[in-house]
Amino acid sequence: MPKVTVDGQELEVPEGATVLQACELAGKEIPRFCYHERLSIAGNCRMCLVEVKPGPPKPQASCALPATEGQEIRTDSEMVKTAREGVMEFLLINHPLDCPICDQGGECDLQDQSVAYGRGATRYEENKRAVTEKYMGPLIKTVMTRCIHCTRCVRFSEEIAGVDEIGAVGRGEDMQITTYLEQAAEHELSANVIDLCPVGALTSRPYAFEARPWELKKTLSIDVSDAVGANIRLDSRGREVMRALPRVNDAVNEEWLSDKGRYMVDGLSKRRLDKVFMRKRGKLQPATWDEAFKAIAKAKPGKAIAAVAGDMVDCETMFAAKSLLKACGSKLIEGRQTGMDYDVSNLAAVNFNSTFEGLEHAGAILIVGSHIRWEAPLVNVRIRKAVKRGAKVYVVGPYWDTTYPAEFLGEDLGVLNKLPKEVADAFKNADRGAVIVGGGALKSAHGKAMALASDWGADFNVLHFSAARMGGLMLGFAQKGGMADIVKAKPKVLISLGADEMDYEPFADTLKVYIGHHGDKGAHSADIILPAASYAEKDGTYVNTEGRVQFAEKAVFAPGDAREDWTILRALADALKVEVGFDNFAQLQSAMIAEVPALGEEGLADYGALPKADATAKAEGTMSAYPIKDFYLTNPIARASEVMQRCSSELLHGGELAEAAE
């Protein structure tokens, strides 16, 4: 490890570190615009200049200079100070002075660094350059006159997202950053360039002119739009969630977030259920809580009561429902609302065992029945990293546009029974392999995929697409025969916990009680609607597809008469005259952790070893389509979101942009 001296402080730095990283290890702050830890080094903003001896007697860009034995680095000399002032003066030559109306104001790197390292005045008196606006789709607002050509957005699109949509045209003063042919940026991670942009050139279109950062309350939460469990921060003002931003968690989402997780939050205030409804003479009419509970008690369900959990429910809600049904003498609980049915006797067999970080080191990856770009965009990023390290990827299922070289083996799942020799060879030659089974192929190919993984010594993974799935399975929210068992039991009362994707037709003679937050499919089918809180309006525990237990905090209060789900179930217990064993959230959480201790510890749950694979298992059937038909409209919050509806129309279905008058 080379030894360097930074401002008189001697330290050892890792092999291959840059001078900038050495300075940061010494606790020195180095200004930068183009450098980013997760992107390749561009070295084009020149803001990170330092003085290095031995070397030429001039400032050098620390981001692109390797740290070597015996270097003396100065970050605070007069030469460095003058050089940084000069660079900042040049950067501001063409930058418009529109900070008061810029959405980046208050969280702008250019503002911060011009105050800390700039001259405080300019000597430039010529005409400023202006750049025409670029259209980058419904999510990204552009004011390209502000652009300082750091190229972070270009590198993110090419290296992380794997979609070459943004690039530079022209040279010198005429250089412009734009999408090719001025099309919208169409990939699922496009809005991350907004976080990366160090100036106000790329900002959030839906959030434009909405709020300033210092007006907002910041709450740590978890994204429930898919099963990745990305760590997010909800920024709220009053009772409204204004925006969602990613938090850094290297093990889960690094510092990225899918466009759906980021932008569906405007749906939290639209199409909300904020009062109790009861169906009278075929129509839903407003009612009181007391009337609703009396109607449910009047049905005298006894043991004939069932509960189905939706895709975005927290563990506490599911445990409260399970406690209520247990007190009634019923075991009819299910979380796989779309009718999926697979063996859950061993949770390791339905878990993402590689972990997201581990997936990056796989040398061969077999994807069975999963459109990963839509089901888990952030897992797709990890696969891209593995491919960059030399991994080979094979896909069984209908074609989808991967962001890396991949070989499609056809739609017939039976191909797993006799794979081409090159696939087996790739896994045998790889130090580490990974088999990923999507929700759509769990029933037909689970056993065979597990046998292949066992045979190759590869990691076996199941990729769910529901935030509530693993938590529900840990709590036993699964019947042996799936939803078919619930239908067969013909319950008198069905409690639907935000289950909007299920088929309510078989329950025509059942009293359907919908506990949820949006007027979606579940509410339309219900006989009684009890308005509940969304993920942003309650504390809750979520478990992602790799079995990672995470906790989300309450950001705002639920609207109108809506209540937190567990309080509704607790009041329902009183109406049904049964004891559930908790009266407040702390007691509920304690009871849940006592039953499933893993839910009390944040981090990866231990599901034990994989069961012995059945070597005789066969895969059968064909996959003509994936379960997710529209990436932007997979849940009730997204379907209520104006932004997600617009993304679906414009980016997926080629809808024309509506004019203001339309």
Side-chain angles (χ1 to χ4, degrees):
M1 284 170 65
K3 278 189 182 168
V4 299
T5 306
V6 180
D7 293 342
Q9 177 186 344
E10 194 176 1
L11 72 153
E12 281 190 346
V13 296
E15 203 70 53
T18 61
V19 169
L20 186 147
Q21 289 167 325
C23 294
E24 293 202 323
L25 282 172
K28 302 292 176 183
E29 184 182 329
I30 303 293
R32 84 291 296 266
F33 291 112
C34 68
Y35 175 79
H36 191 277
E37 292 82 355
R38 299 186 200 277
L39 303 175
S40 63
I41 293 167
N44 56 8
C45 76
R46 317 311 283 178
M47 194 64 209
C48 62
L49 295 172
V50 295
E51 193 179 341
V52 181
K53 292 178 185 171
K58 63 175 186 179
Q60 298 192 59
S62 59
C63 68
L65 185 67
T68 56
E69 184 69 40
Q71 277 177 333
E72 283 183 43
I73 303 162
R74 289 289 304 276
T75 68
D76 55 1
S77 67
E78 196 57 41
M79 182 202 285
V80 172
K81 183 174 179 293
T82 308
R84 287 178 183 168
E85 285 178 357
V87 170
M88 182 58 75
E89 196 174 357
F90 271 118
L91 285 173
L92 293 174
I93 274 177
N94 286 314
H95 195 80
L97 297 178
D98 58 359
C99 299
I101 59 137
C102 176
D103 272 309
Q104 197 86 344
E107 46 193 9
C108 173
D109 292 355
L110 191 64
Q111 279 184 338
D112 296 343
Q113 292 183 38
S114 63
V115 168
Y117 305 104
R119 284 183 75 240
T122 181
R123 293 168 287 182
Y124 186 73
E125 293 177 358
E126 309 303 315
N127 292 332
K128 283 180 179 273
R129 179 193 68 150
V131 181
T132 54
E133 294 316 315
K134 308 288 182 273
Y135 184 67
M136 289 196 186
L139 303 179
I140 305 167
K141 180 189 171 197
T142 64
V143 184
M144 298 314 285
T145 303
R146 299 173 186 155
C147 179
I148 61 167
H149 299 163
C150 70
T151 68
R152 280 185 182 183
C153 54
V154 177
R155 285 174 285 147
F156 173 82
S157 297
E158 289 180 359
E159 296 165 15
I160 308 294
V163 182
D164 295 347
E165 285 187 338
I166 302 177
V169 295
R171 297 181 68 184
E173 195 181 34
D174 295 324
M175 177 175 157
Q176 297 184 21
I177 304 290
T178 177
T179 51
Y180 297 117
L181 307 177
E182 301 215 7
Q183 297 286 319
E186 291 184 0
H187 58 87
E188 304 75 32
L189 300 165
S190 64
N192 287 290
V193 298
I194 295 165
D195 297 335
L196 287 172
C197 186
V199 296
L202 303 177
T203 53
S204 171
R205 190 180 286 273
Y207 180 67
F209 310 127
E210 289 290 330
R212 287 297 192 192
W214 54 84
E215 302 172 345
L216 304 173
K217 185 183 92 173
K218 298 161 179 63
T219 310
L220 307 184
S221 190
I222 301 297
D223 172 32
V224 296
S225 67
D226 56 29
V228 172
N231 288 210
I232 59 173
R233 187 186 90 198
L234 294 176
D235 287 359
S236 56
R237 185 175 61 188
R239 297 186 73 152
E240 186 181 0
V241 175
M242 304 297 287
R243 63 177 179 177
L245 294 175
R247 286 187 284 137
V248 178
N249 186 331
D250 287 335
V252 184
N253 58 310
E254 298 177 282
E255 59 186 85
W256 317 124
L257 183 57
S258 76
D259 290 350
K260 181 167 54 180
R262 184 188 296 262
Y263 281 117
M264 72 178 189
V265 291
D266 75 308
L268 289 170
S269 57
K270 296 179 176 71
R271 282 165 55 177
R272 284 303 298 266
L273 299 172
D274 58 0
K275 53 169 76 86
V276 178
F277 286 93
M278 288 177 67
R279 196 172 292 280
K280 295 171 184 171
R281 292 183 294 282
K283 282 190 175 178
L284 287 166
Q285 308 281 356
T288 65
W289 287 98
D290 199 39
E291 285 175 324
F293 287 142
K294 277 179 180 164
I296 298 167
K298 193 179 172 186
K300 296 194 169 85
K303 290 182 182 179
I305 183 170
V308 178
D311 290 347
M312 299 192 292
V313 190
D314 56 297
C315 292
E316 284 80 359
T317 297
M318 289 188 277
F319 181 75
K322 184 182 177 184
S323 301
L324 173 65
L325 265 68
K326 190 178 176 185
C328 293
S330 169
K331 289 183 179 176
L332 296 173
I333 53 177
E334 181 56 71
R336 299 163 296 177
Q337 50 170 330
T338 53
M340 279 196 282
D341 166 25
Y342 43 85
D343 182 17
V344 292
S345 54
N346 186 315
L347 290 187
V350 289
N351 185 47
F352 201 92
N353 297 296
S354 285
T355 72
F356 300 149
E357 279 185 303
L359 188 61
E360 292 178 16
H361 303 284
I365 299 170
L366 174 64
I367 301 167
V368 183
S370 178
H371 186 330
I372 292 186
R373 258 186 85 171
W374 281 9
E375 291 173 17
L378 296 168
V379 174
N380 202 52
V381 168
R382 305 281 190 172
I383 296 176
R384 227 185 106 68
K385 281 191 175 181
V387 170
K388 278 186 172 179
R389 290 187 166 114
K392 287 186 167 63
V393 180
Y394 303 94
V395 185
V396 177
Y399 177 81
W400 50 278
D401 187 10
T402 58
T403 56
Y404 36 79
E407 188 179 330
F408 281 79
L409 303 174
E411 298 180 8
D412 183 6
L413 295 173
V415 74
L416 294 172
N417 302 324
K418 197 176 180 186
L419 282 167
K421 184 175 181 295
E422 60 170 297
V423 180
D425 289 348
F427 274 89
K428 296 236 166 89
N429 297 332
D431 292 338
R432 182 174 183 178
V435 176
I436 301 172
V437 180
L442 265 178
K443 191 166 186 179
S444 313
H446 184 263
K448 182 61 185 175
M450 194 187 286
L452 287 171
S454 173
D455 189 33
W456 294 330
D459 296 328
F460 178 73
N461 305 296
V462 170
L463 182 62
H464 298 290
F465 34 80
S466 307
R469 184 70 76 245
M470 284 308 290
L473 295 179
M474 287 170 79
L475 287 164
F477 246 77
Q479 296 290 309
K480 198 168 184 185
M483 281 297 296
D485 280 7
I486 306 273
V487 173
K488 219 180 286 174
K490 294 186 178 167
K492 287 183 184 174
V493 173
L494 173 74
I495 297 173
S496 168
L497 303 170
D500 289 285
E501 320 301 328
M502 69 178 276
D503 180 13
Y504 285 91
E505 214 173 296
F507 299 99
D509 301 327
T510 301
L511 180 70
K512 297 175 283 294
V513 181
Y514 181 76
I515 301 176
H517 40 78
H518 276 78
D520 210 80
K521 186 181 168 185
H524 287 294
S525 306
D527 299 310
I528 296 173
I529 294 173
L530 304 177
S534 71
Y535 76 103
E537 295 146 8
K538 58 186 173 185
D539 291 331
T541 306
Y542 297 91
V543 186
N544 76 353
T545 190
E546 55 174 357
R548 187 178 300 276
V549 179
Q550 303 184 109
F551 192 75
E553 295 174 13
K554 177 178 179 172
V556 291
F557 287 96
D561 289 340
R563 299 287 180 267
E564 291 182 31
D565 310 61
W566 74 267
T567 61
I568 298 171
L569 292 160
R570 175 67 187 81
L572 186 53
D574 284 347
L576 295 172
K577 296 185 170 54
V578 293
E579 283 289 325
V580 285
F582 56 85
D583 293 316
N584 56 45
F585 188 75
Q587 289 175 359
L588 164 64
Q589 218 170 29
S590 298
M592 179 182 79
I593 292 165
E595 185 170 308
V596 186
L599 291 173
E601 295 176 34
E602 290 201 85
L604 289 170
D606 182 10
Y607 297 138
L610 272 166
K612 196 170 186 316
D614 178 7
T616 62
K618 293 272 185 254
E620 53 192 27
T622 57
M623 272 200 78
S624 54
Y626 293 105
I628 293 179
K629 305 286 186 290
D630 188 321
F631 169 71
Y632 297 102
L633 305 175
T634 55
N635 62 63
I637 300 175
R639 287 191 284 269
S641 161
E642 197 179 318
V643 179
M644 290 294 96
Q645 291 280 0
R646 187 167 174 168
C647 284
S648 171
S649 166
E650 189 178 330
L651 303 180
L652 293 184
H653 306 297
E656 287 298 314
L657 209 64
E659 295 294 332
E662 296 177 89

